[in-house]
Amino acid sequence: MAMAKRTKVAEILVGEYIGKELTVAGWVRSFRSNQFIALNDGSTIKTLQIVVDFENEDPEVIKMITVGAAIKVTGTIVESLGRGQSVELKASNIKVLGVADAEQGPGQYPLQPKKHSLEYLREIAHLRFRTNTFGAIFRIRHHAAYAIHEFFHNKGFLYIHAPIITGSDAEGAGEMFKVTNFDMDDTPKGEDGKVDFSQDFFGKATNLTVSGQLEAELAALAFSEVYTFGPTFRAENSHTSRHLAEFWMIEPEVAFADLEDNMDLAEEMLKYVIKSVLDRCGDDLDFLEKRLIDEEKVKPMNERSPMPLKEKLQFCIDTDFERLTYTRAIDILKNCKPNKKGKFQFKIEEWGADLQSEHERYLVEKHFKKPVILTDYPKDIKAFYMRMNEDGNTVGAMDILFPGIGEIVGGSQREERLDVLLARMKEMDIHEDEMSWFLDTRRFGTCPHAGFGLGFERLILFVTGMANIRDVIPFPRFPGSAEF
RNA sequence: GGUCCUUUAGCUCAGCUGGUUAGAGCAUCUGACUGUUAAUCAGAGGGUCCAAGGUUCGAGUCCUUGAAGGACCGCCA
C-alpha cells in the first residue's frame, strides 16, 4: 500500500495552497510551546511551521514530538498569524513515524537546535545531512553536478564512463590503491619470491584509477568531444584541507582543439556551473553566506573574505579570468614586494622553479584579485603527455587557480605527435609496452586535442564558501579515515 | 612525509602566576506559561578535566611519552 500522497515543503512555500488540505512528512527541527513544529523534509533549507492543537491532541503523541523525530501531518494550509512565515499548516492529524530518543546517555539524538562544530558533525557524518549547513551544501552539490552534465550535453559532448579499476599503473597522477582478490595472509608467490598477480582475479596487478584522462582521450579521438565525471582515487599521504583519497573529477577531452580552446572551455564551464548554482540555490547560498560572515566575525580583518559569498560568485561570472604564461608569472613574482622583502618561505630566484601555493595565492589574491589561468609551464615539472611547445622548454599546460582554493583545474594540450611523445616517455622512464593501447591513438589518425581535469569537491568548496574539503563530500576518505 | 595548535558536562566553551567543594550557555528531566520564531521563567540531574608516567606539601593548570582531532607545507584536482 502506498503512503498517502504528500506535498513537499519547498512546493508549499512557493505554491498557492491556502485553504487546501494536504499531507506533509519530514523531521522535526524544533518544537516550541507544545504548539509549533518546525518541519524540514530536505526539499528546501526552509521549514514549514506546523501548528498543533495541543489542547485536543493526545499527550502521548505530543511527548514523542522531539527534535529529530520523523512525523507525517495532515492539515490545512492557512495564512500564518505569527511573523516568521507567511503560511503554516494547521494540523488535524499527526502521526509519529519514528521517534528520536532525547534521553541522555547512549542513543541520544546528537543534533540539537544549536550550532555544532564542523569537526563534531564530521564524526557523525551519517546524521549531518539533517543540519542546515550540510543540507545546503549537498543540495548545492547536486545542482552543480546536474549543471555540469547539462553544460556538456548542451554542447554535444558525450558522457564517457571511464573504468574505476584500471590495469594501467602509468596514469601519471600519483600513488594508486591496489585492487586484489587475494587472501592477504596467503598470497601466491612467483619464482622470484614476489607476489604473482597472474593468479589474481584479473590475471594481473590492478589499481583504482587516478584519472580517466587516458581513456577519455581514446573516446575523444572517435567522438570529438567527450567528458568523464566519476570518482578517482589517490593513495597520497596528504594532510590538507584540499585533498581527499577519494574524490570526483570531471575530465573533458576535445579533439581538434588547442590550449586556447581548452582554456575557453574550462572558463565557460566554471561560469556556467557557478551561475546555475546562483540561479537555483539562492536560499542555500543565503544561509551559507550568513554562516560564513558569522564565522569570520571572530577573525582579524585581513583574514576575512574580501566579499560576501554571492557577490564573490557573481564577480567570478562577470570577470574574465587572467591568462598569463608561467614565464610572465615568474617575472611578476621575482619583482614583487614579498619576494624582495623575503616574506615568501620559498624565494623565487629563477625560471624553472615550481610555484608553491604561497606564490599562487599571491598571484590570485593579491596581484590580480581574480581567477588566474597559468600556461606554458617548464616541461620538467609537468606530465609526459603534455604537448611540447616550439621553444622545446615549455609544454602547453594550463592550471586554473581560484582565490581561497588554489588549483581547481589542471589541463593541457596533449602531445599528438608520436615521435615527440615517445621521446618524452623515454626521458621520463615510462615503459612503452604498457602504454601501447594509448599510443595507438597517435599511430592511427592522431590529431591535435586537449583536455583538463576539474576537482569537483574543490569547485564545491568555492561555491559554498566552506573551508575543508571533507565537509563538501558526504563521506570523506583521507589518510587514517574511511568511516561509514 | 614535515612543522605547529587543540583535547575540561551530551554539545559549545570559560577556568588567571599550581591552592583546597571545577563553572556558564545550550541540551536533558520536573513544573509554570501558551501565537512561538534557536520561545520564556523556576528548579533538578549530569565530570576518570584524552591516557600513562613524572615534578610538587598540593596538578584541570608544569614536564615527558602516547592517542585523537585540527591548521599549514609538500604531492595534486
Side-chain angles (χ1 to χ4, degrees):
Chain A
M1 196 177 68
M3 300 279 288
K5 189 169 164 50
R6 97 189 148 90
T7 311
K8 289 195 179 185
V9 171
E11 221 174 290
I12 293 168
L13 295 180
V14 298
E16 301 285 333
Y17 287 93
I18 290 178
K20 298 229 167 85
E21 176 169 277
L22 43 78
T23 300
V24 297
W27 294 268
V28 175
R29 280 295 173 78
S30 71
F31 187 31
R32 290 181 289 271
S33 310
N34 266 2
Q35 197 176 0
F36 304 102
I37 301 169
L39 189 78
N40 185 278
D41 68 358
S43 60
T44 163
I45 194 162
K46 292 179 176 165
T47 53
L48 177 66
Q49 173 150 292
I50 310 288
V51 184
V52 180
D53 181 5
F54 66 97
E55 279 166 331
N56 296 309
E57 186 58 69
D58 179 359
E60 283 308 303
V61 170
I62 286 184
K63 220 175 157 127
M64 287 192 289
I65 302 171
T66 59
V67 175
I71 61 171
K72 192 168 95 172
V73 185
T74 302
T76 311
I77 295 292
V78 297
E79 245 176 279
S80 179
L81 299 172
R83 279 207 197 135
Q85 57 284 316
S86 54
V87 298
E88 61 193 19
L89 183 83
K90 219 163 174 57
S92 54
N93 184 282
I94 300 174
K95 190 177 176 203
V96 177
L97 302 172
V99 297
D101 191 1
E103 296 288 325
Q104 262 190 41
Q108 182 188 8
Y109 187 62
L111 294 173
Q112 294 154 22
K114 58 164 290 196
K115 205 168 153 51
H116 290 94
S117 70
L118 295 172
E119 291 81 11
Y120 172 67
L121 292 172
R122 216 171 284 150
E123 287 170 19
I124 51 165
H126 56 304
L127 295 172
R128 67 179 179 171
F129 288 127
R130 300 188 190 188
T131 64
N132 282 334
T133 301
F134 287 93
I137 290 166
F138 292 115
R139 271 186 298 272
I140 288 171
R141 186 177 163 115
H142 161 79
H143 283 284
Y146 180 75
I148 283 163
H149 286 299
E150 193 176 52
F151 173 81
F152 284 119
H153 175 78
N154 290 345
K155 279 189 158 313
F157 281 58
L158 234 58
Y159 177 28
I160 295 292
H161 294 111
I164 287 166
I165 298 172
T166 175
S168 157
D169 60 359
E171 287 170 346
E175 285 295 309
M176 302 179 99
F177 288 103
K178 290 181 177 59
V179 176
T180 175
N181 206 29
F182 280 153
D183 173 357
M184 297 311 283
D185 294 323
D186 183 25
T187 53
K189 303 283 198 302
E191 280 175 14
D192 56 1
K194 290 185 175 167
V195 177
D196 180 11
F197 284 103
S198 71
Q199 295 184 47
D200 204 352
F201 187 87
F202 295 107
K204 62 182 291 193
T206 49
N207 297 297
L208 290 178
T209 184
V210 293
S211 161
Q213 180 199 315
L214 302 187
E215 288 89 352
E217 282 191 49
L218 311 181
L221 268 69
F223 299 110
S224 304
E225 296 177 315
V226 302
Y227 71 104
T228 71
F229 186 172
T232 45
F233 309 86
R234 307 262 167 102
E236 305 284 350
N237 194 18
S238 301
H239 295 101
T240 81
S241 49
R242 308 184 305 282
H243 290 85
L244 289 166
E246 175 182 290
F247 65 101
W248 288 67
M249 190 151 63
I250 295 103
E251 295 180 284
E253 197 67 38
V254 183
F256 317 115
D258 62 15
L259 192 66
E260 202 183 324
D261 298 320
N262 205 26
M263 288 189 275
D264 290 344
L265 179 70
E267 184 168 342
E268 192 187 342
M269 184 202 65
L270 286 167
K271 286 176 173 172
Y272 184 90
V273 176
I274 292 166
K275 184 168 187 323
S276 299
V277 169
L278 259 180
D279 288 348
R280 296 166 187 174
C281 306
D283 292 340
D284 289 322
L285 287 172
D286 284 338
F287 176 84
L288 291 172
E289 175 171 297
K290 196 166 162 293
R291 200 197 84 86
L292 199 60
I293 290 168
D294 285 348
E295 194 181 69
E296 290 185 344
K297 270 181 188 159
V298 296
K299 286 187 178 175
M301 275 299 190
N302 61 348
E303 285 176 30
R304 295 185 198 174
S305 310
M307 46 180 110
L309 181 60
K310 285 171 89 171
E311 195 181 322
K312 177 187 86 172
L313 298 181
Q314 190 59 50
F315 172 81
C316 188
I317 295 168
D318 296 337
T319 319
D320 288 337
F321 295 3
E322 187 70 33
R323 300 182 183 190
L324 73 159
T325 63
Y326 165 89
T327 304
R328 232 195 96 211
I330 286 288
D331 244 26
I332 291 169
L333 288 167
K334 234 194 310 198
N335 296 312
C336 76
K337 260 191 200 161
N339 197 53
K340 288 184 166 167
K341 288 188 172 172
K343 290 274 168 65
F344 284 145
Q345 200 183 338
F346 296 93
K347 194 173 183 196
I348 295 288
E349 306 272 16
E350 57 193 305
W351 193 92
D354 210 345
L355 299 183
Q356 312 288 318
S357 45
E358 59 180 342
H359 306 128
E360 296 181 348
R361 261 210 313 278
Y362 174 82
L363 288 172
V364 175
E365 289 160 25
K366 295 273 153 34
H367 190 85
F368 292 111
K369 294 188 166 66
K370 59 172 168 170
V372 168
I373 311 183
L374 280 179
T375 65
D376 303 294
Y377 283 80
K379 63 173 182 167
D380 294 334
I381 58 174
K382 287 291 177 184
F384 75 94
Y385 50 74
M386 298 189 177
R387 192 177 197 278
M388 186 70 72
N389 287 331
E390 299 303 314
D391 59 18
N393 289 320
T394 61
V395 290
M398 64 124 179
D399 283 358
I400 301 186
L401 312 176
F402 262 33
I405 312 289
E407 187 176 344
I408 195 165
V409 163
S412 68
Q413 184 171 345
R414 317 305 190 189
E415 184 54 76
E416 85 281 12
R417 298 161 296 188
L418 182 63
D419 53 334
V420 183
L421 184 58
L422 285 173
R424 281 294 285 154
M425 285 171 69
K426 199 162 199 170
E427 247 177 73
M428 299 177 81
D429 202 29
I430 294 162
H431 298 288
E432 205 181 305
D433 43 343
E434 284 169 24
M435 299 294 288
S436 73
W437 54 273
F438 177 70
L439 293 169
D440 270 356
T441 53
R442 275 65 171 174
R443 293 192 184 106
F444 311 124
T446 191
C447 72
H449 62 288
F452 62 84
L454 165 71
F456 187 53
E457 284 76 16
R458 289 192 180 169
L459 178 59
I460 303 303
L461 271 184
F462 183 74
V463 295
T464 58
M466 296 298 289
N468 194 316
I469 201 160
R470 295 165 191 179
D471 293 330
V472 298
I473 187 166
F475 302 104
R477 273 83 181 89
F478 51 95
S481 180
E483 296 304 311
F484 309 102

